[in-house]
Amino acid sequence: MKKRSSKVFAIVLAAMSICTIGGAVTASAANWQDSKELIYYSGSGDVVKTQSRTKEDTSPMYLYNLPSSHKNFSYVNCIGTSTQSPKFGYEGGRVCTATKNTYLGVGNSKYYSSYVKEWGYNYCNFEIAPETHSAGYIEVKWSPDSIGS
């Protein structure tokens, strides 16, 4: 009888250990939901900017250049800011992209490593330079944080 209760105890302990270990490996990013933005580009050659959002962890930022944009992006940068601007873009922001000025074609997406949190900023946005200088709209989906990248 003592051997049987020892085996039962060992099985229960093993099952509890597996449940505990399984629960410990879940990953999360706080602000990973994509927001969709339609941004007017004047064709002036200037950059356009997404709205500022809260950056809550050090995971990569995510950007998807929707097919409806009809414009490649000749370069994209992550911008870190101390305050959230109510308008598009930033005031006094800093380029925080690990690899600056990266290309992003129509219909493609990319994860961007940045130093937004590491350099002490709480908000971020993307700065985008359309490849062609014709007026029109660009459409993106993006998130400040990501999961499983």
Side-chain angles (χ1 to χ4, degrees):
M1 184 72 156
K2 194 170 187 175
K3 282 186 178 183
R4 182 176 279 174
S5 64
S6 294
K7 279 186 178 181
V8 170
F9 178 73
I11 291 170
V12 170
L13 185 61
M16 288 174 53
S17 296
I18 291 169
C19 290
T20 303
I21 291 168
V25 265
T26 56
S28 66
N31 200 2
W32 57 268
Q33 295 87 359
D34 291 343
S35 65
K36 188 175 183 180
E37 294 187 29
L38 185 66
I39 307 166
Y40 181 72
Y41 175 60
S42 68
S44 66
D46 289 337
V47 296
V48 295
K49 300 164 186 102
T50 62
Q51 293 186 33
S52 297
R53 289 180 62 189
T54 303
K55 178 82 171 132
E56 297 187 9
D57 62 31
T58 59
S59 66
M61 294 170 63
Y62 171 78
L63 180 66
Y64 175 39
N65 183 4
L66 292 164
S68 52
S69 287
H70 304 292
K71 289 186 184 294
N72 294 319
F73 302 154
S74 60
Y75 79 80
V76 175
N77 284 315
C78 305
I79 306 298
T81 61
S82 298
T83 58
Q84 187 171 23
S85 173
K87 297 180 180 179
F88 283 88
Y90 63 94
E91 299 297 325
R94 178 180 179 185
V95 174
C96 296
T97 316
T99 304
K100 294 181 177 129
N101 303 329
T102 58
Y103 177 88
L104 186 64
V106 172
N108 292 304
S109 63
K110 185 172 182 176
Y111 290 97
Y112 291 85
S113 294
S114 74
Y115 302 111
V116 173
K117 289 303 282 186
E118 292 87 340
W119 290 349
Y121 298 105
N122 294 318
Y123 302 96
C124 63
N125 64 286
F126 277 107
E127 175 183 80
I128 301 165
E131 189 173 54
T132 60
H133 300 298
S134 58
Y137 287 92
I138 63 167
E139 191 168 24
V140 299
K141 281 187 180 181
W142 77 282
S143 60
D145 303 321
S146 58
I147 296 175
S149 56

